[in-house]
Structures are given as C-alpha cells and as structure tokens.
Amino acid sequence: MKLYSFIFLILLLTHGYCKSDFRTGSPLMLAVPVDYSAGFIGRAFLMDTNQRVWNSGHYSRFYTWDKCVLELTDDGDLRLMGPNEQVGWRTGTSGQGVERLEIQSSGNLVLVDTLNRIKWQSFNFPTDVMLWGQRLNVATRLTSFPSNSDSFYTFEIHHNKIALHLTSGKWNYSYWEFKPSYNRNITYVKVASKGLVLFSDEYKKIAQIPSQAPEPLRFLALGNSTGNLGFYFYSPGEGKFEAAFQALNTTCDLPLACKPYGICTFSNACSCMRGLMGEKSTNSNCSVGISGGFCGIISKPEMLELDGISSVLQNASKKVNVSKETCENLCLDDCTCAAALYSSGRGEKTQQRECHHYRLVMGVKQVEKGSGLSYMVKVPKGTRGSHGKSNVKKWVLIMVGVIDGLIILLVLGGLGYYSIQKRRENSTQH
C-alpha cells in the first residue's frame, strides 16, 4: 500500500524571535483527503526554507484517517490526534504549567510556562538534523532510516570521538570517526557558523571540523539514503541549501553503497563476489542462498578468499598476531561470523598481523592489490569448489573437442593420402 505523509503543522524558521500565539486550549484541525485516507501518516513538521529539520513521527508512524488534530491542551500537553481522540504523539507535559508554544531564533520548538521557563524542547529529541546553535551531549545521537532496508544510520557522540554507525539487527559498526588530539574527552558538540565544534569536560573548545562555506552554516544532516554526514548552508544565488562539508567523499566509502555480498569497484559500480555469481545471482542480489545465515545448518561452510578487497566497517572484533589460517578457522567455528578481513601487516609501521571478524557482509570495496589485505567470506560448502570445477569442466570439454577434431583431420588426411597413392599406382600400371 502506498504511504502518504500528512504535513499538519509547518513552522517556518526565521532569524528573528517568533512569539507564538499558539496557547493552551488551541486546537488546529485539518481534514484528511478522502482519496488518500488509506495508509495516511500524521506528523507535525518543523521546516526551514523547504528543508525539514524536525518531525514528530521520526521514530514511529501514526496512521490516521478522516482528520488530524494538533492541540495544546488546557493542562499543557501538546498532542497529535486522529478520530475519536486517538493520540498518535504527545510531549507528555501535562500538569507542568505550560502556557504556550514558541519557536526560538535557533529553530528550537519549545513549550514554556508563564515565566518563560522551558518545559519541553525539540532540541532534546533530535531526529536526523542538527540546527545551528543546537548541541548534542555524550551518549545522544542523530538517526536516519534508509528506505527498503532493515538497517539504519546513527551519528553518535562518544567520550573520545564522534562517529557514524551502521546498525543491522543486533550488529553495530562504525564507518567514519573523528577524534580530538591528545585523547581529550568530549562533553558535547555544537553546530557553529563555521563548522562543528567539540567541547571538553571544562566546556572549552578542543576541536573543530571546519565547513569552508561562503555563508554561515544552517544545519547538519545525516542522509537517509547514504548515511553520509553533511554541513549545509543556504546559497542565495542558487536559492537552495548546499553542502559545505561531507564526511565521506566517495561512493565506495558508504556502508550501503552495494547490497549484501556486493563489492563496490574502482568505477563506483557494484559487482557480486567472484564465486557467488550463480544462475540466480544478480548485481542487485548477490546473497542468493546465503542470506539465511550459518547457525543451525548441518553441513560445515567454507571460506572464499578475495584479494584486493577490504571493508569500510570498523570496530569489528579483532585478534592480533595470528596466521591467516587461524583467522579463517576461527570464523568457520563461529556460526555468527559471516566474513573475516586479514591484514598481514605489509607496508605498515607496526607490521602487526590482524584478524577482524564481521557479522555482516556489507561495506565491501575494492582496494589496490599488494596491500596485504585478504577478505574471506563464508559461503555454503561446495561454492568455492563448484566454481573451480565449472572452469575445469569447460576446459576439459574444449580440450576434448580439439582432440576429436585433430583425430578426424588425421583420419581424413590418411584416407585422402591412401586414395591419391592408389590412383598413382593404377595410372602406372596402365
């Protein structure tokens, strides 16, 4: 069924202070068009020049029909409701003395009491956008959800770094990180006019990711489709928002550039792994026969080794100073292990051999050969052998054809020679 978004409340941000007349006991109602009543989603949006910067339905969908009502109740609770007073979203601020709704100059949507004290604010419930002046503390995050996928992206604030993460099921991997120098701890980050600023425990600036934008930054966003982190400014000449900074600059550095078991090549195209190109496999679905996992199966799987391949996923479980064979066997013995990346240490200062185990076969990309990296993916028993046997079979068939052809030529040549000799003998006798 096709889904439609219901933009109920559009609050436009300005650079001035917005004193709202939206007070308690003030309901706003819009009728849901009859043609779109099936699968209709009710949400309240906060907009900045056609850019959505916050919405009430980011983490859960509220399906409604007939009508959708936004109301700041007499006891101070902001609610989004459908027919029969069905509540789809609320701030939970009943009985806290809320008097009215306001939009601050920073774009923060707030509920305040008669003394202008904030009782609820949208800045405390970030979605996938972080506005100018907004701050995120340690252990908070932005979250975005790619379409048609069970995975999701997060931008997370840790004590020692900020990072982009991919979560799929119960597995979580980072794919981009930024750490302050000298191992300084982070307390919070804040979007400033010239970049993202990191602050320490003493609330002092310890690092900054600059934007290089010709105009002040307006917001930071985590892309729903790519998982890339971008800083955006408004370009008066183009009449739209443009990116001043992106954490990842190439397609193959994105964690979901290709489907599972696909490789992002030097040409930024996706290709299935060698040995997995069966009759039913396509570049859009390389995991035919593998997606069910390896736990609970009777036959033991095997590892398919690929040279010149690496993964953008980081913080995988790691073992050091082990052989490639040990790395391979450890993955085979663990049914949750889907792939292993082995580094021989060649070309590195430490010359340390490392074995990384992954529970996901995603974020795989082509790298230069000779880098000392070997990517091994777990496959059903016989996958690797059948691929080799197939080539051998073709070679045998070709050789058999060639030999048969030579035999036929020799036989025909012999018969021709015999016939010529016989004619010569007959002509001599006459």
Side-chain angles (χ1 to χ4, degrees), residues 86 133 177 403:
Q86 174 195 11
E177 296 179 351
I403 292 172

Side-chain angles (χ1 to χ4, degrees), residues 77-361:
D77 196 20
L78 185 64
R79 300 177 182 177
L80 193 63
M81 299 181 296
N84 305 320
E85 296 187 351
Q86 174 195 11
V87 178
W89 172 82
R90 68 197 309 169
T91 56
T93 49
S94 299
Q96 297 184 29
V98 171
E99 177 68 17
R100 64 184 180 276
L101 176 152
E102 290 182 359
I103 306 177
Q104 297 180 331
S105 59
S106 60
N108 193 12
L109 178 66
V110 299
L111 299 179
V112 298
D113 62 13
T114 54
L115 299 177
N116 287 326
R117 292 177 298 192
I118 296 176
K119 296 299 181 179
W120 180 93
Q121 56 182 321
S122 60
F123 273 12
N124 285 345
F125 300 90
T127 55
D128 54 359
V129 174
M130 186 178 173
L131 290 169
W132 175 89
Q134 186 174 356
R135 52 188 274 182
L136 289 181
N137 298 324
V138 169
T140 57
R141 62 183 62 185
L142 300 180
T143 309
S144 66
F145 303 93
S147 59
N148 302 320
S149 176
D150 295 330
S151 305
F152 62 90
Y153 310 113
T154 53
F155 169 57
E156 302 182 11
I157 316 302
H158 303 276
H159 284 291
N160 64 332
K161 64 183 179 183
I162 58 176
L164 297 177
H165 288 257
L166 172 71
T167 299
S168 182
K170 58 183 178 180
W171 312 119
N172 179 283
Y173 296 94
S174 65
Y175 54 94
W176 175 85
E177 296 179 351
F178 177 83
K179 295 182 178 181
S181 57
Y182 307 111
N183 295 321
R184 289 174 290 187
N185 285 338
I186 304 169
T187 300
Y188 68 93
V189 301
K190 184 177 180 180
V191 178
S193 297
K194 295 297 183 181
L196 183 68
V197 184
L198 285 64
F199 293 87
S200 69
D201 296 334
E202 293 80 24
Y203 300 98
K204 295 180 180 179
K205 175 181 173 181
I206 57 174
Q208 178 174 334
I209 302 177
S211 70
Q212 307 296 329
E215 300 287 339
L217 288 184
R218 294 280 284 274
F219 62 89
L220 171 156
L222 180 61
N224 287 325
S225 60
T226 64
N228 205 353
L229 182 71
F231 303 167
Y232 294 87
F233 67 97
Y234 185 75
S235 173
E238 297 295 329
K240 63 179 182 179
F241 288 105
E242 295 186 345
F245 167 87
Q246 287 190 315
L248 304 170
N249 295 314
T250 61
T251 299
C252 289
D253 287 332
L254 300 173
L256 298 183
C258 298
K259 297 290 186 180
Y261 291 87
I263 300 173
C264 190
T265 66
F266 289 138
S267 60
N268 292 328
C270 294
S271 174
C272 290
M273 295 177 178
R274 173 181 51 81
L276 300 184
M277 286 297 292
E279 293 181 359
K280 297 182 180 179
S281 295
T282 64
N283 284 343
S284 61
N285 183 16
C286 300
S287 58
V288 175
I290 305 178
S291 56
F294 295 94
C295 292
I297 62 174
I298 299 176
S299 60
K300 189 176 181 180
E302 59 187 3
M303 302 298 285
L304 177 67
E305 184 175 350
L306 303 169
D307 291 328
I309 302 296
S310 185
S311 175
V312 303
L313 303 183
Q314 304 173 25
N315 68 289
S317 59
K318 180 175 72 172
K319 293 186 179 296
V320 298
N321 295 326
V322 296
S323 66
K324 184 193 294 186
E325 183 181 4
T326 300
C327 182
E328 178 179 344
N329 289 333
L330 287 172
C331 185
L332 285 171
D333 293 338
D334 181 1
C335 71
T336 65
C337 178
L341 179 65
Y342 184 78
S343 173
S344 63
R346 187 189 311 164
E348 298 179 3
K349 293 181 180 179
T350 59
Q351 296 289 319
Q352 181 171 269
R353 296 173 296 167
E354 295 184 351
C355 172
H356 302 265
H357 283 174
Y358 295 93
R359 270 61 184 173
L360 306 171
V361 186

